[in-house]
């Protein structure tokens, strides 16, 4: 089973019917890659791996303006792999190795103002929340849902920032012993 969600996503897109690499990239970018579109090289290297693993097959080759265009189709093994991937829950990310936490502790250890770090980060989170809220307001349902996902994570971060700011003196005491 592939561990890469890009591979599984491309396989899932192939379930609706065979496609060329260009069509797969366009469909991926349209549905999932608005903020991080795929590079053509990434599509073709992924398709090459999927082909090698028996999850796709080349259904046809057509001449093009440049290199020949391969039309890929998902195999039964590919369908099974996508089904298995979809049924497997994602591991919740507990963020126990947070860069922000590290910065706060290092600021305390080096006698810098950790409250300033928290305030600066809070401002950056609020700025990003405004951008996402505006995008959500203008977006379609899919964009609204992905923005909600990001906004909920940012809200949780803000709660952590507030809690840490309230406990900063105790944290300083604990880490400088």
């Amino acid at each position: 089973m592939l561990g890469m969600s890009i591979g599984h996503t491309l396989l899932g897109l192939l379930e609706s019917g065979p496609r060329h690499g260009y069509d797969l990239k366009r469909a991926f970018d349209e549905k999932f890659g608005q903020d991080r579109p795929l590079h053509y090289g990434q599509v073709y290297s992924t398709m090459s791996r999927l082909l090698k693993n028996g999850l796709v097959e080349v259904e046809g080759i057509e001449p093009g303006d440049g290199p020949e265009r391969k039309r890929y189709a998902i195999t039964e093994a590919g369908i099974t792999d996508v089904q298995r991937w979809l049924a497997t829950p994602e591991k919740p990310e507990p963020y126990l190795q947070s860069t922000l936490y590290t910065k706060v502790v290092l600021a305390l250890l080096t006698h810098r103002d950790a409250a300033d770090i928290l305030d600066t980060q809070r401002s950056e989170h609020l700025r990003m929340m405004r951008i996402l809220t505006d995008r959500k307001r203008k977006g379609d349902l899919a964009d609204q849902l992905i923005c909600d996902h990001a906004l909920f994570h940012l809200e949780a971060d803000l709660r952590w920032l507030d809690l840490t700011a309230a406990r900063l003196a105790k944290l300083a005491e604990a880490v400088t012993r």
Side-chain angles (χ1 to χ4, degrees):
M1 184 162 131
L2 294 173
M4 248 175 78
S5 63
I6 291 172
H8 288 109
T9 304
L10 294 176
L11 283 171
L13 290 171
L14 282 172
E15 282 202 49
S16 65
R19 297 181 191 214
H20 297 96
Y22 173 83
D23 297 328
L24 283 168
K25 180 205 176 336
R26 193 176 64 224
F28 182 97
D29 290 352
E30 183 181 294
K31 299 286 185 200
F32 311 106
Q34 190 172 21
D35 296 313
R36 198 176 284 167
L38 285 180
H39 298 286
Y40 283 105
Q42 195 172 10
V43 172
Y44 292 109
S45 65
T46 302
M47 295 312 295
S48 177
R49 268 192 310 280
L50 296 173
L51 186 62
K52 187 174 84 175
N53 292 331
L55 303 176
V56 298
E57 60 192 8
V58 176
E59 186 183 79
I61 298 176
E62 302 166 5
D65 293 340
E68 294 177 326
R69 293 177 43 160
K70 294 178 183 173
R71 191 173 51 253
Y72 298 96
I74 192 168
T75 62
E76 286 300 319
I79 292 169
T80 300
D81 199 55
V82 170
Q83 181 59 35
R84 189 177 311 130
W85 179 69
L86 290 173
T88 304
E90 291 298 306
K91 181 182 178 201
E93 294 293 332
Y95 302 110
L96 293 177
Q97 292 297 319
S98 165
T99 303
L100 183 54
Y101 173 78
T102 301
K103 286 182 174 186
V104 170
V105 170
L106 282 175
L108 294 170
L109 290 173
T110 59
H111 307 291
R112 290 181 171 93
D113 192 348
D116 280 350
I117 291 171
L118 294 170
D119 289 341
T120 300
Q121 193 62 51
R122 184 180 295 102
S123 294
E124 185 61 18
H125 271 61
L126 291 171
R127 184 188 71 77
M128 181 54 67
M129 289 177 83
R130 285 189 295 275
I131 290 168
L132 288 168
T133 300
D134 185 55
R135 176 176 162 181
K136 178 182 165 182
R137 193 176 309 115
K138 296 174 184 172
D140 61 9
L141 180 59
D143 214 31
Q144 291 169 13
L145 289 171
I146 198 68
C147 287
D148 280 339
H149 186 263
L151 284 164
F152 293 151
H153 282 275
L154 290 170
E155 287 173 4
D157 286 351
L158 284 175
R159 288 195 316 268
W160 181 85
L161 289 166
D162 291 341
L163 179 66
T164 303
R167 294 179 174 174
L168 210 47
K170 285 184 180 180
L171 180 60
E173 199 177 292
V175 299
T176 57
R177 284 186 210 173

